[in-house]
Amino acid sequence: MRLKYFFSETVQNLRRNLLMTIAAVSTVAISLLLLGGVQVLGIMVNRMTTDWEAKVEVNVFLLQDATENETQALQTEVSKMTEVEDVTYVSSREAFLEFSADYPELATGLTDSDLPASLRIKLADANEAEEVADRIEGAPGVDEVRFGGDIIKRLLQVNALLRTVTLAMSVILMIAAAGLIANTIRLAIYARRDEIGIMKLVGATNWFIRIPFMLEGLFAALVGAAVAVVVVLGGNWLLLSRLPEAFPFLAPVLDFSSGELLTVAGLLVGVGGLVGLAGSSLALRRFLEV
Amino acid sequence: MIKLIDVVKDYKGDIRALDNVSLEVTKGEFVFIVGPSGSGKSTFLKLVTKEEDPTSGDVFVAGKNLGSLPRWRVPYLRRNVGCVFQDFKLLPNKTVFENVAFGLEVIGRPRSVVQRQVPQILELVGLGEKLDRFPDELSGGEQQRVSVARAFVNRPLILVADEPTGNLDPATSVGIMRLLDRINKTGTTVVMATHDHAIVDSMRRRVLQLEHGKVVRDQSRGIYGVGT
């Protein structure tokens, strides 16, 4: 019986206060849409920076007269470092073949032995490049260590900044969305404070008063979140997923997995629902004190 | 049924609404609280419903000390105290039936009880034919009857009425008083704050007169009083 009361009360109130319901739903939808947009942007930034960082490697050029033993020892030692993901030995000949494939006109006149052999090190975290390079520097058989130096450092700074900015934006937007939704609910409740006053006077418990309002808030928030999710996913499907056809280089940045999209959708619904519930119960608190 | 012991109530800004009031209302009594505006009548009623807490002193309602009543018990206190107001406080978007039913639904009464009791009580207050009207389709007297029905549908031990006839003409007021009298005869204690001389004088019930927050007269079978 109680469930029936709560349900019919909720439906009735949503219908009778249609304008307020529409206002709440669209507020939630717009706030969450912004949040969703930033989330998608965040995924893009993350993709881009991860992609860049994966390309960061440390090149250890070996001396021409480095012995087999020295090379072996170095490779073993480097591969033991925790920061290092993978080490490949590139012989002089392999280096020459690669070089002449990349720059055929420059390779004329060079022989196999003109290019030094090297170790190519892939890192677990691009931020460790300088440290790893420093440690290898001066080891027996090593001629020179290169890791891209300043450019890498600059890139890493930019990446960190981009990540911080998108994170900050989503936090700010989340707070703004929460505030907007809570405020809309408060207006809806304010319009019905007489009703709440009477409920209190005839002896309704606070939870009895609260539940229909919270269900209304939850309902409005979830519908709004659903609208936002549809727009985000639709936008991705119509626009973003088609861009790589025209601009293939965007593919690694824009080709979202369904897991990533589900995460965004889940976040929007979760934030929407939570804020709807919390917003309505917070907004009610003032009116329940009598 | 209601007992006040040395009750003082101050509002913000050093306004003393009740000044050392001690009194007792026994079960089944009908009591008028009279006195000019600002004498503390409404404050007294609000202490009974625990809308306000006394600054000092104790308030007992139905044997319970309201000062030590935890917040979550307050709704259960109010189910034993029906309230009627000068401005009716009906919900304009609900019908007569729904307004009265609301009083039962929000305290979790099952549907079958609501369906049975609401028409009964509306018959009692003389509105058996107007269940589906909205408040703005009723006269002031009829609206007040709905409000009395809502306060009484739950069979409270106490009915408090704050100027229930304040917005009504004398003839209509008499009808409301008859209704309150009938409710009182069922054993419900009725406490009514009023300005209305004619009503108090014709009913000849106990009169408590307040002035500047003090009880200046407590008279059984009293009249509104001289000089006021």
Side-chain angles (χ1 to χ4, degrees), chain A residues 1-2 4-5 9 12-13 16-17 194-196 198-206 208 288-290, chain B residues 50-51 71 75-76 78-79 83 85 89-91 93-94 98 102-103 105-111 150:
Chain A
M1 139 66 209
R2 292 226 166 168
K4 217 157 140 196
Y5 164 83
E9 192 72 0
Q12 206 175 57
N13 284 332
R16 283 193 182 158
N17 306 294
D194 292 342
E195 206 172 316
I196 296 172
I198 292 167
M199 290 170 98
K200 294 229 61 163
L201 273 172
V202 299
T205 57
N206 282 351
F208 209 90
L288 287 178
E289 282 169 14
V290 162
Chain B
K50 202 167 159 71
E51 281 172 81
R71 277 216 94 71
Y76 300 93
R78 292 195 180 143
R79 292 175 193 189
C83 291
F85 302 92
K89 290 203 200 294
L90 298 175
L91 293 171
N93 57 353
K94 287 190 192 284
E98 286 168 344
F102 190 65
E105 279 164 354
V106 301
I107 59 173
R109 289 286 180 272
R111 202 180 172 74
R150 183 183 61 198

Side-chain angles (χ1 to χ4, degrees), chain B:
Chain B
M1 189 56 55
I2 301 171
K3 193 156 130 191
L4 272 66
I5 302 171
D6 301 330
V7 167
V8 174
K9 175 66 187 176
D10 292 335
Y11 287 112
K12 269 178 218 147
D14 284 341
I15 300 158
R16 181 147 291 192
L18 288 178
D19 191 359
N20 220 18
V21 171
S22 297
L23 59 84
E24 187 169 359
V25 176
T26 55
K27 184 168 169 23
E29 262 194 296
F30 194 121
V31 184
F32 287 114
I33 315 285
V34 303
S37 297
S39 58
K41 303 190 297 290
S42 295
T43 300
F44 170 70
L45 297 184
K46 282 179 177 166
L47 290 177
V48 175
T49 56
K50 202 167 159 71
E51 281 172 81
E52 298 286 350
D53 289 318
T55 310
S56 68
D58 290 316
V59 179
F60 293 86
V61 172
K64 291 198 175 65
N65 186 343
L66 300 195
S68 55
L69 194 70
R71 277 216 94 71
W72 66 272
R73 291 292 310 175
V74 173
Y76 300 93
L77 164 77
R78 292 195 180 143
R79 292 175 193 189
N80 282 322
V81 185
C83 291
V84 177
F85 302 92
Q86 182 172 2
D87 57 358
F88 321 137
K89 290 203 200 294
L90 298 175
L91 293 171
N93 57 353
K94 287 190 192 284
T95 64
V96 167
F97 181 92
E98 286 168 344
N99 261 288
V100 178
F102 190 65
L104 287 174
E105 279 164 354
V106 301
I107 59 173
R109 289 286 180 272
R111 202 180 172 74
S112 58
V113 172
V114 175
Q115 291 295 343
R116 193 176 61 244
Q117 286 191 356
V118 174
Q120 266 176 21
I121 196 88
L122 282 169
E123 194 66 44
L124 176 80
V125 302
L127 288 173
E129 309 293 311
K130 299 193 170 173
L131 300 182
D132 296 325
R133 301 290 186 87
F134 284 90
D136 60 4
E137 298 169 341
L138 302 177
S139 69
E142 288 171 329
Q143 289 187 48
Q144 192 60 295
R145 284 165 187 273
V146 177
S147 153
V148 171
R150 183 183 61 198
F152 189 61
V153 68
N154 186 38
R155 308 284 159 155
L157 297 169
I158 302 169
L159 190 81
V160 300
D162 195 354
E163 307 262 12
T165 59
N167 280 351
L168 305 176
D169 60 65
T172 315
S173 299
V174 170
I176 296 293
M177 291 318 296
R178 285 216 187 98
L179 188 55
L180 292 180
D181 193 38
R182 272 179 77 180
I183 286 172
N184 176 237
K185 291 211 164 77
T186 67
T188 304
T189 309
V190 177
V191 181
M192 170 171 160
T194 187
H195 280 308
D196 196 324
H197 293 224
I199 284 174
V200 177
D201 292 349
S202 67
M203 299 272 292
R204 303 304 299 251
R205 299 302 185 102
R206 181 177 172 193
V207 173
L208 280 163
Q209 186 175 352
L210 289 174
E211 233 160 74
H212 303 300
K214 284 183 193 296
V215 179
V216 294
R217 180 164 61 108
D218 183 353
Q219 189 178 18
S220 56
R221 302 185 60 77
I223 54 167
Y224 194 91
V226 282
T228 45

Side-chain angles (χ1 to χ4, degrees), chain A residues 28-47:
Chain A
V28 175
I30 291 168
S31 332
L32 290 181
L33 196 58
L34 285 172
L35 183 61
V38 169
Q39 290 308 312
V40 170
L41 195 70
I43 295 179
M44 278 155 67
V45 166
N46 209 15
R47 279 290 180 87

Side-chain angles (χ1 to χ4, degrees), chain A residues 29 32-33 223-235 261 264-266 268-269:
Chain A
L32 290 181
L33 196 58
V223 172
V227 171
V229 166
V230 166
V231 174
V232 168
L233 295 188
L261 291 173
V264 173
L268 295 189
V269 173

